[in-house]
Amino acid sequence: MLVVMKPNATEGEIARVVEKIRALGLTPHTIPGAQRVAIGVTGNRGGIETTQFETMPGVADAIRVSQPFKLVSREVKAEDTVIDVGGVPLGGRALTVMAGPCSVESKEQILEAAHAVKAAGARFLRGGAFKPRTSPYEFQGLAEEGLKLLALAREETGLKIVTEVMDAETLPMVADYADVLQIGARNMQNFSLMKQLGQVRRPILLKRGPSATIKEWLMAAEYVVAGGNYQVALCERGIRTFETMTRNTLDLNAVPVLKALTHLPVIVDPSHGIGLRAHVAAMARAGIAAGADGIIVEVHPCPEKALSDGQQSLLPSEFEDLMKQVRVIAGAVGRTV
């Protein structure tokens, strides 16, 4: 259920609605809007009579939410969510561009990449300090040393840091260094981790699982938001299909569908989505044209020597060219970079 307050509702009237929701054994979620406050209600496994709230002072309406993903639904919040990452918006009219190497490999590598993507126009630096890999014998990341190098890159460039959280054990450490916590595709349905992320006051970039439906993906986001962390963005990174010529199948259908279903920002990852350097730029352009709020792109100073995902990483010069194209497409669809 969603309780919509009147535009002139007082703090006291809002507090009384919240108190009544708690008295019913339910959980209130106060959602500020541009014009009015709405209060999402979760925990009701049976029906709640809307009349219990409709007659309360300051209440404009009480609405049943039909979607199983309540708090991330547009039924609950009509306007787009814009996440403030230390003064840099994630979502909204300005496109979000995240770029950098798959893995932090050395001080020289991450600083060179950071300065290159900053010069081209990115505002977020991506880079993995902890790397979940299919093979236990592949490079697993530099762990905390990698986080320290990311922090150094932020200090030198002013870029915000996006890096992956692998598990609940390392979550506090990563949260100490990162500006945005990336949840990899393998962890999308790690519900114990999702619950813990609900308690963390850091923006979350939630990647879609390789075999997850859109509904399952939104339900995973609901775990985080229901826990109290409303700063969630979704990342389409390609799904597993029968196709073998590309790494994954980038599901651009998901972008407009998500924009209709949810108020959360939607980011597209063309690097993992196709897995082929020669075609990453094309899929990035297509993602923006489809309505994505931003892109996350792998960029490496020397892809042929990369310790992970070199085959899908752009050279800095290629990323610079892509950014020129992004600006043109952004203008055509009414966005800025």
Side-chain angles (χ1 to χ4, degrees):
M1 178 183 288
L2 179 70
V3 180
V4 182
M5 305 302 295
K6 295 177 180 177
N8 60 350
T10 66
E11 292 294 330
E13 289 170 337
I14 295 169
R16 281 189 284 277
V17 172
V18 167
E19 183 180 345
K20 180 164 186 175
I21 293 169
R22 290 199 175 111
L24 292 170
L26 307 174
T27 304
H29 302 267
T30 303
I31 307 165
Q35 303 296 328
R36 61 185 73 194
V37 169
I39 305 168
V41 183
T42 59
N44 50 312
R45 290 174 176 79
I48 305 175
E49 290 298 328
T50 57
T51 53
Q52 294 186 70
F53 297 97
E54 288 169 341
T55 58
M56 293 185 69
V59 172
D61 201 1
I63 306 165
R64 297 189 185 280
V65 179
S66 61
Q67 297 288 5
F69 40 91
K70 307 295 184 186
L71 299 174
V72 305
S73 169
R74 277 211 189 271
E75 292 181 76
V76 166
K77 186 171 183 278
E79 65 266 26
D80 290 338
T81 287
V82 180
I83 302 169
D84 182 0
V85 186
V88 178
L90 199 174
R93 186 168 181 269
L95 288 174
T96 299
V97 179
M98 304 171 172
C102 174
S103 303
V104 181
E105 301 166 359
S106 67
K107 176 181 176 181
E108 294 72 23
Q109 173 248 17
I110 195 62
L111 289 180
E112 184 177 352
H115 284 287
V117 301
K118 170 73 179 292
R123 302 193 70 182
F124 292 80
L125 174 66
R126 63 145 295 149
F130 293 91
K131 293 303 301 178
R133 307 299 297 278
T134 301
S135 168
Y137 307 114
E138 293 180 333
F139 178 62
Q140 305 288 311
L142 298 179
E144 188 169 14
E145 180 58 30
L147 294 173
K148 291 177 180 177
L149 292 175
L150 286 169
L152 176 63
R154 175 175 54 205
E155 184 179 341
E156 285 204 8
T157 63
L159 294 169
K160 302 300 180 183
I161 300 302
V162 183
T163 195
E164 185 168 350
V165 175
M166 275 182 56
D167 49 46
E169 289 74 22
T170 55
L171 172 57
M173 178 196 299
V174 178
D176 281 343
Y177 289 93
D179 298 296
V180 177
L181 304 178
Q182 176 183 305
I183 305 305
R186 296 172 179 86
N187 264 327
M188 189 206 83
Q189 289 183 305
N190 182 344
F191 296 126
S192 60
L193 178 58
M194 295 300 107
K195 289 178 182 179
Q196 292 206 34
L197 292 169
Q199 305 301 313
V200 175
R201 295 302 174 257
R202 282 281 187 280
I204 308 299
L205 182 66
L206 180 62
K207 288 199 164 188
R208 183 183 185 179
S211 301
T213 66
I214 290 173
K215 180 179 176 181
E216 289 168 341
W217 187 13
L218 288 169
M219 292 304 296
E222 187 80 5
Y223 267 91
V224 181
V225 177
N229 185 353
Y230 301 95
Q231 303 177 92
V232 179
L234 303 169
C235 182
E236 165 57 45
R237 47 79 69 194
I239 54 176
R240 182 170 294 172
T241 67
F242 53 79
E243 185 54 69
T244 59
M245 295 300 289
T246 57
R247 179 172 180 174
N248 294 295
T249 298
L250 188 63
D251 184 13
L252 292 181
N253 291 329
V255 176
V257 171
L258 286 168
K259 295 302 289 182
L261 290 173
T262 180
H263 53 86
L264 302 181
V266 179
I267 305 297
V268 163
D269 179 350
S271 302
H272 286 88
I274 195 164
L276 302 169
R277 181 186 308 134
H279 306 306
V280 166
M283 299 314 295
R285 296 192 300 265
I288 294 164
D293 297 303
I295 53 175
I296 180 167
V297 182
E298 291 192 347
V299 180
H300 195 290
C302 191
E304 63 274 15
K305 294 183 179 179
L307 298 181
S308 58
D309 285 357
Q311 77 284 352
Q312 64 190 37
S313 299
L314 300 183
L315 288 161
S317 59
E318 293 172 324
F319 179 67
E320 184 178 6
D321 289 340
L322 172 59
M323 287 300 293
K324 293 175 184 176
Q325 299 161 9
V326 164
R327 291 185 180 93
V328 173
I329 297 172
V333 296
R335 308 295 282 266
T336 62
V337 179

